[in-house]
Coordinates of all heavy atoms in Angstrom, one line a residue:
V19 N -3.6 -2.6 -15.8 CA -4.0 -2.9 -17.2 C -5.5 -3.4 -17.1 O -5.8 -4.3 -16.3 CB -3.2 -4.0 -17.9 CG1 -3.7 -4.2 -19.3 CG2 -1.7 -3.7 -17.8
V20 N -6.4 -2.8 -17.9 CA -7.7 -3.2 -18.1 C -7.9 -3.7 -19.5 O -7.6 -2.9 -20.4 CB -8.7 -2.1 -17.7 CG1 -10.2 -2.5 -17.9 CG2 -8.5 -1.6 -16.3
H21 N -8.4 -4.9 -19.7 CA -8.6 -5.5 -21.0 C -10.1 -5.2 -21.5 O -11.0 -5.2 -20.7 CB -8.3 -7.0 -20.9 CG -6.9 -7.3 -20.7 ND1 -6.0 -7.4 -21.7 CD2 -6.3 -7.5 -19.5 CE1 -4.8 -7.7 -21.1 NE2 -5.0 -7.7 -19.8
S22 N -10.2 -5.1 -22.8 CA -11.5 -4.9 -23.4 C -12.2 -6.3 -23.5 O -11.6 -7.3 -23.7 CB -11.3 -4.4 -24.8 OG -12.5 -4.3 -25.5
G23 N -13.5 -6.3 -23.3 CA -14.3 -7.5 -23.4 C -14.2 -8.4 -22.2 O -14.7 -9.5 -22.2
Q24 N -13.6 -8.0 -21.2 CA -13.5 -8.7 -19.9 C -12.9 -10.2 -20.1 O -13.3 -11.0 -19.3 CB -14.9 -8.7 -19.2 CG -15.5 -7.4 -19.0 CD -14.6 -6.5 -18.1 OE1 -14.0 -7.0 -17.1 NE2 -14.5 -5.2 -18.4
H25 N -12.1 -10.4 -21.1 CA -11.5 -11.7 -21.2 C -10.5 -12.1 -20.1 O -10.1 -13.2 -20.0 CB -10.9 -11.9 -22.6 CG -9.7 -11.1 -22.8 ND1 -8.4 -11.5 -22.5 CD2 -9.5 -9.9 -23.4 CE1 -7.5 -10.6 -22.8 NE2 -8.2 -9.6 -23.4
N26 N -10.0 -11.0 -19.4 CA -9.1 -11.2 -18.4 C -9.3 -10.2 -17.3 O -9.8 -9.0 -17.6 CB -7.7 -11.1 -18.9 CG -6.6 -11.6 -18.0 OD1 -6.9 -12.3 -17.0 ND2 -5.4 -11.2 -18.2
E27 N -9.1 -10.5 -16.0 CA -9.2 -9.5 -15.0 C -8.1 -8.5 -15.1 O -7.0 -8.7 -15.7 CB -9.1 -10.2 -13.6 CG -10.3 -11.1 -13.3 CD -10.1 -11.7 -11.9 OE1 -9.5 -11.1 -11.0 OE2 -10.8 -12.8 -11.7
S28 N -8.3 -7.3 -14.5 CA -7.3 -6.3 -14.5 C -6.1 -6.8 -13.7 O -6.2 -7.7 -12.8 CB -7.8 -5.0 -13.9 OG -8.1 -5.1 -12.6
H29 N -4.9 -6.3 -14.1 CA -3.6 -6.8 -13.4 C -2.6 -5.6 -13.6 O -2.9 -4.6 -14.2 CB -3.1 -8.1 -14.0 CG -2.9 -8.0 -15.5 ND1 -1.7 -7.7 -16.1 CD2 -3.7 -8.2 -16.6 CE1 -1.8 -7.7 -17.4 NE2 -3.0 -8.0 -17.7
Y30 N -1.4 -5.8 -13.0 CA -0.4 -4.8 -13.0 C 0.8 -5.3 -13.8 O 1.1 -6.5 -13.8 CB 0.0 -4.5 -11.6 CG -1.1 -3.8 -10.9 CD1 -2.1 -4.5 -10.2 CD2 -1.3 -2.4 -10.9 CE1 -3.1 -3.9 -9.5 CE2 -2.3 -1.8 -10.2 CZ -3.2 -2.6 -9.5 OH -4.3 -1.9 -8.9
V31 N 1.5 -4.3 -14.5 CA 2.7 -4.6 -15.3 C 3.7 -3.5 -15.0 O 3.3 -2.4 -14.6 CB 2.4 -4.7 -16.8 CG1 1.5 -5.9 -17.1 CG2 1.9 -3.4 -17.3
L32 N 5.0 -3.8 -15.2 CA 6.0 -2.8 -15.1 C 6.3 -2.3 -16.5 O 6.4 -3.1 -17.4 CB 7.3 -3.3 -14.5 CG 7.2 -3.8 -13.0 CD1 8.5 -4.4 -12.6 CD2 6.9 -2.6 -12.1
A33 N 6.5 -1.0 -16.6 CA 6.9 -0.4 -17.9 C 7.9 0.7 -17.7 O 7.8 1.5 -16.8 CB 5.6 0.2 -18.6
L34 N 8.9 0.8 -18.6 CA 9.9 1.8 -18.6 C 9.6 3.0 -19.5 O 9.1 2.7 -20.6 CB 11.3 1.2 -18.9 CG 11.8 0.2 -18.0 CD1 13.2 -0.3 -18.5 CD2 11.9 0.7 -16.6
R35 N 9.8 4.2 -19.0 CA 9.6 5.4 -19.8 C 10.3 5.3 -21.2 O 11.4 4.8 -21.3 CB 10.2 6.6 -19.0 CG 10.0 7.9 -19.7 CD 10.5 9.0 -18.8 NE 10.7 10.2 -19.7 CZ 11.8 10.8 -19.8 NH1 12.9 10.5 -19.0 NH2 11.9 11.9 -20.6
G36 N 9.5 5.7 -22.2 CA 10.0 5.7 -23.5 C 9.7 4.4 -24.3 O 9.7 4.4 -25.6
A37 N 9.3 3.4 -23.6 CA 8.9 2.1 -24.3 C 7.5 2.4 -24.9 O 6.9 3.4 -24.6 CB 8.9 1.0 -23.3
T38 N 7.0 1.4 -25.6 CA 5.6 1.5 -26.2 C 4.8 0.4 -25.5 O 5.2 -0.7 -25.3 CB 5.6 1.2 -27.7 OG1 6.4 2.2 -28.3 CG2 4.2 1.3 -28.3
F39 N 3.6 0.8 -25.0 CA 2.7 -0.2 -24.4 C 2.3 -1.2 -25.5 O 1.8 -0.8 -26.6 CB 1.4 0.5 -23.9 CG 1.6 1.3 -22.6 CD1 1.4 2.7 -22.7 CD2 2.0 0.7 -21.5 CE1 1.6 3.4 -21.5 CE2 2.2 1.4 -20.3 CZ 2.0 2.8 -20.3
P40 N 2.5 -2.5 -25.3 CA 2.2 -3.5 -26.3 C 0.7 -3.8 -26.4 O -0.1 -3.5 -25.4 CB 2.9 -4.7 -25.9 CG 3.0 -4.6 -24.4 CD 3.1 -3.1 -24.1
G41 N 0.2 -4.3 -27.5 CA -1.1 -4.8 -27.6 C -1.3 -6.1 -27.0 O -0.4 -6.9 -26.9
C42 N -2.5 -6.4 -26.5 CA -2.8 -7.7 -25.9 C -3.0 -8.7 -27.0 O -3.5 -8.4 -28.1 CB -4.1 -7.5 -25.0 SG -4.8 -9.1 -24.4
L43 N -2.7 -10.0 -26.7 CA -2.9 -11.0 -27.7 C -4.4 -11.3 -28.0 O -4.7 -11.8 -29.0 CB -2.2 -12.3 -27.3 CG -0.7 -12.2 -27.2 CD1 -0.1 -13.5 -26.7 CD2 -0.1 -11.9 -28.6
R44 N -5.3 -11.0 -27.0 CA -6.7 -11.2 -27.2 C -7.5 -10.0 -27.6 O -8.3 -10.0 -28.6 CB -7.3 -11.7 -25.9 CG -6.7 -13.0 -25.4 CD -7.4 -14.3 -26.0 NE -8.8 -14.4 -25.9 CZ -9.5 -14.9 -24.9 NH1 -8.9 -15.4 -23.9 NH2 -10.8 -14.9 -25.0
C45 N -7.2 -8.8 -27.0 CA -8.0 -7.6 -27.3 C -7.2 -6.6 -28.1 O -7.7 -5.4 -28.2 CB -8.7 -7.0 -26.0 SG -7.5 -6.5 -24.8
C46 N -6.0 -6.9 -28.5 CA -5.2 -6.1 -29.3 C -4.9 -4.7 -28.7 O -4.5 -4.6 -27.6 CB -5.8 -6.0 -30.7 SG -4.5 -5.6 -32.0
Y47 N -5.2 -3.7 -29.5 CA -4.9 -2.3 -29.0 C -6.0 -1.7 -28.2 O -6.0 -0.5 -28.0 CB -4.5 -1.5 -30.2 CG -3.2 -1.9 -30.8 CD1 -3.0 -2.8 -31.8 CD2 -2.0 -1.4 -30.2 CE1 -1.8 -3.2 -32.2 CE2 -0.7 -1.7 -30.6 CZ -0.6 -2.6 -31.6 OH 0.6 -3.0 -32.1
Q48 N -6.9 -2.5 -27.7 CA -8.0 -2.0 -26.8 C -7.6 -2.1 -25.4 O -8.3 -1.6 -24.5 CB -9.3 -2.7 -27.1 CG -9.8 -2.4 -28.5 CD -11.1 -3.1 -28.8 OE1 -11.8 -3.5 -27.9 NE2 -11.3 -3.4 -30.1
A49 N -6.4 -2.7 -25.1 CA -6.0 -2.7 -23.7 C -5.7 -1.3 -23.2 O -5.1 -0.5 -23.9 CB -4.7 -3.6 -23.6
K50 N -6.0 -1.0 -22.0 CA -5.8 0.3 -21.4 C -4.9 0.3 -20.2 O -5.0 -0.7 -19.4 CB -7.2 1.0 -21.0 CG -8.1 1.1 -22.2 CD -9.4 1.8 -21.8 CE -10.4 2.0 -22.9 NZ -10.1 1.8 -24.2
F51 N -4.1 1.3 -20.0 CA -3.0 1.3 -19.0 C -3.2 2.6 -18.2 O -3.4 3.7 -18.7 CB -1.7 1.3 -19.6 CG -1.4 0.1 -20.4 CD1 -1.8 0.0 -21.7 CD2 -0.6 -1.0 -19.9 CE1 -1.5 -1.1 -22.5 CE2 -0.3 -2.1 -20.7 CZ -0.8 -2.2 -22.0
Q52 N -3.1 2.4 -16.8 CA -3.1 3.6 -15.9 C -2.0 3.5 -14.9 O -1.8 2.4 -14.3 CB -4.5 3.7 -15.2 CG -4.6 4.9 -14.3 CD -5.9 5.0 -13.6 OE1 -6.5 3.9 -13.3 NE2 -6.3 6.2 -13.3
L53 N -1.2 4.5 -14.8 CA -0.1 4.5 -13.8 C -0.6 4.3 -12.4 O -1.5 5.0 -11.9 CB 0.7 5.9 -13.9 CG 1.9 6.0 -13.0 CD1 3.0 4.9 -13.4 CD2 2.5 7.4 -13.1
A54 N -0.1 3.3 -11.7 CA -0.5 3.0 -10.4 C 0.6 3.4 -9.4 O 0.3 3.9 -8.3 CB -0.8 1.5 -10.2
L55 N 1.9 3.3 -9.8 CA 3.0 3.6 -8.9 C 4.2 4.1 -9.8 O 4.7 3.3 -10.6 CB 3.4 2.5 -8.1 CG 4.6 2.7 -7.2 CD1 4.3 3.7 -6.1 CD2 5.1 1.4 -6.6
S56 N 4.5 5.3 -9.7 CA 5.7 5.9 -10.5 C 7.0 5.4 -9.8 O 7.0 5.3 -8.6 CB 5.6 7.4 -10.5 OG 6.7 7.9 -11.1
A57 N 8.0 5.1 -10.6 CA 9.2 4.6 -10.1 C 10.3 5.0 -11.0 O 10.1 5.1 -12.2 CB 9.3 3.1 -9.9
V58 N 11.5 5.3 -10.5 CA 12.7 5.6 -11.3 C 13.5 4.4 -11.5 O 13.8 3.7 -10.6 CB 13.5 6.7 -10.6 CG1 14.8 7.1 -11.4 CG2 12.7 8.0 -10.4
Y59 N 13.9 4.1 -12.8 CA 14.8 3.0 -13.1 C 16.1 3.2 -12.3 O 16.7 4.3 -12.4 CB 15.0 2.9 -14.6 CG 15.7 1.7 -15.1 CD1 15.4 0.4 -14.5 CD2 16.7 1.8 -16.0 CE1 16.1 -0.7 -15.0 CE2 17.4 0.7 -16.5 CZ 17.1 -0.6 -16.0 OH 17.7 -1.7 -16.4
V60 N 16.5 2.2 -11.5 CA 17.6 2.4 -10.6 C 18.9 2.9 -11.3 O 19.6 3.7 -10.7 CB 17.9 1.0 -9.8 CG1 18.5 0.0 -10.8 CG2 18.8 1.3 -8.7
V61 N 19.2 2.5 -12.5 CA 20.5 3.0 -13.1 C 20.4 4.4 -13.5 O 21.4 5.0 -13.9 CB 21.0 2.0 -14.2 CG1 21.3 0.6 -13.7 CG2 20.0 2.0 -15.3
T62 N 19.2 5.0 -13.6 CA 19.1 6.4 -13.9 C 18.9 7.3 -12.7 O 18.9 8.5 -12.9 CB 17.9 6.6 -14.9 OG1 16.7 6.3 -14.3 CG2 18.1 5.8 -16.2
H63 N 18.8 6.7 -11.5 CA 18.6 7.5 -10.3 C 19.9 8.1 -9.9 O 21.0 7.5 -10.0 CB 18.1 6.6 -9.2 CG 17.6 7.4 -8.0 ND1 18.4 8.0 -7.1 CD2 16.3 7.6 -7.6 CE1 17.7 8.6 -6.2 NE2 16.4 8.4 -6.5
P64 N 20.0 9.4 -9.5 CA 21.2 10.1 -9.2 C 22.0 9.5 -8.0 O 23.2 9.6 -7.9 CB 20.8 11.5 -8.9 CG 19.4 11.5 -8.7 CD 18.8 10.3 -9.4
F65 N 21.3 8.8 -7.1 CA 22.0 8.1 -6.0 C 22.8 6.9 -6.4 O 23.6 6.3 -5.6 CB 21.0 7.8 -4.9 CG 20.5 9.0 -4.1 CD1 19.4 8.8 -3.3 CD2 21.0 10.2 -4.3 CE1 18.9 9.9 -2.6 CE2 20.5 11.3 -3.6 CZ 19.4 11.1 -2.8
F66 N 22.5 6.3 -7.6 CA 23.0 5.0 -7.9 C 23.9 4.9 -9.1 O 24.4 3.9 -9.5 CB 21.9 4.0 -8.1 CG 21.1 3.8 -6.8 CD1 19.9 4.4 -6.7 CD2 21.6 3.1 -5.8 CE1 19.1 4.3 -5.5 CE2 20.9 2.9 -4.6 CZ 19.7 3.5 -4.5
H67 N 24.2 6.0 -9.8 CA 25.0 5.9 -11.0 C 26.4 6.6 -10.8 O 27.1 6.8 -11.8 CB 24.3 6.4 -12.3 CG 24.0 7.8 -12.3 ND1 24.9 8.8 -12.7 CD2 22.9 8.5 -11.9 CE1 24.4 10.0 -12.6 NE2 23.2 9.8 -12.2
S68 N 26.8 6.8 -9.6 CA 28.1 7.4 -9.3 C 29.1 6.3 -9.4 O 28.9 5.2 -9.1 CB 28.1 8.0 -7.9 OG 29.4 8.4 -7.6
E69 N 30.3 6.7 -9.9 CA 31.4 5.8 -10.0 C 32.0 5.5 -8.6 O 32.7 4.5 -8.4 CB 32.5 6.4 -10.9 CG 32.1 6.5 -12.3 CD 31.8 5.2 -12.9 OE1 32.5 4.2 -12.7 OE2 30.8 5.1 -13.7
Q70 N 31.8 6.5 -7.6 CA 32.4 6.3 -6.3 C 31.3 6.0 -5.3 O 30.2 6.6 -5.3 CB 33.1 7.5 -5.8 CG 34.5 7.7 -6.4 CD 35.2 8.9 -5.7 OE1 34.6 9.9 -5.6 NE2 36.4 8.6 -5.3
C71 N 31.5 5.0 -4.5 CA 30.6 4.7 -3.4 C 31.2 5.1 -2.1 O 32.4 4.9 -1.9 CB 30.2 3.2 -3.3 SG 29.3 2.6 -4.7
V72 N 30.4 5.6 -1.2 CA 30.9 6.0 0.2 C 30.4 4.8 1.1 O 29.3 4.5 1.2 CB 30.3 7.3 0.6 CG1 30.7 7.6 2.1 CG2 30.8 8.4 -0.3
T73 N 31.4 4.2 1.8 CA 31.1 3.2 2.7 C 30.9 3.8 4.1 O 31.7 4.7 4.5 CB 32.2 2.1 2.7 OG1 32.4 1.7 1.4 CG2 31.9 0.9 3.6
L74 N 30.0 3.3 4.9 CA 29.8 3.8 6.2 C 31.1 3.8 7.0 O 31.8 2.8 7.0 CB 28.7 3.0 6.9 CG 27.3 3.2 6.4 CD1 26.4 2.2 7.2 CD2 26.8 4.6 6.6
G75 N 31.3 4.9 7.7 CA 32.6 5.0 8.5 C 33.8 5.5 7.7 O 34.8 5.8 8.2
E76 N 33.6 5.6 6.3 CA 34.7 6.1 5.5 C 34.5 7.4 4.9 O 35.2 7.8 3.9 CB 35.0 5.0 4.4 CG 35.5 3.7 4.9 CD 35.8 2.8 3.8 OE1 35.8 3.2 2.6 OE2 36.1 1.6 4.1
E77 N 33.5 8.1 5.4 CA 33.2 9.4 4.8 C 34.4 10.4 5.0 O 34.9 10.4 6.1 CB 31.9 10.1 5.4 CG 30.6 9.4 5.1 CD 30.3 8.3 6.1 OE1 31.0 8.2 7.1 OE2 29.3 7.6 5.9
S78 N 34.8 11.1 4.1 CA 35.9 12.0 4.2 C 35.4 13.3 4.9 O 34.3 13.8 4.6 CB 36.6 12.3 2.9 OG 35.6 12.9 2.0
S79 N 36.2 13.8 5.8 CA 35.8 15.1 6.5 C 36.7 16.2 5.9 O 37.9 16.0 6.0 CB 35.8 15.0 8.0 OG 37.1 14.5 8.4
S80 N 36.1 17.2 5.5 CA 37.0 18.3 4.9 C 37.1 19.4 5.9 O 36.3 19.8 6.6 CB 36.3 18.9 3.7 OG 36.1 17.9 2.7

Side-chain angles (χ1 to χ4, degrees):
V19 184
V20 176
H21 294 270
S22 176
Q24 304 300 322
H25 68 84
N26 195 17
E27 292 184 21
S28 62
H29 58 94
Y30 293 87
V31 296
L32 293 175
L34 294 179
R35 181 176 160 233
T38 301
F39 289 114
C42 170
L43 294 175
R44 299 273 310 268
C45 61
C46 201
Y47 287 95
Q48 295 178 26
K50 298 182 182 350
F51 299 82
Q52 183 180 26
L53 183 63
L55 176 67
S56 176
V58 177
Y59 187 43
V60 68
V61 298
T62 64
H63 192 286
F65 289 166
F66 298 102
H67 67 86
S68 173
E69 294 297 320
Q70 280 188 312
C71 290
V72 175
T73 306
L74 290 176
E76 294 182 7
E77 294 90 3
S78 61
S79 53
S80 303

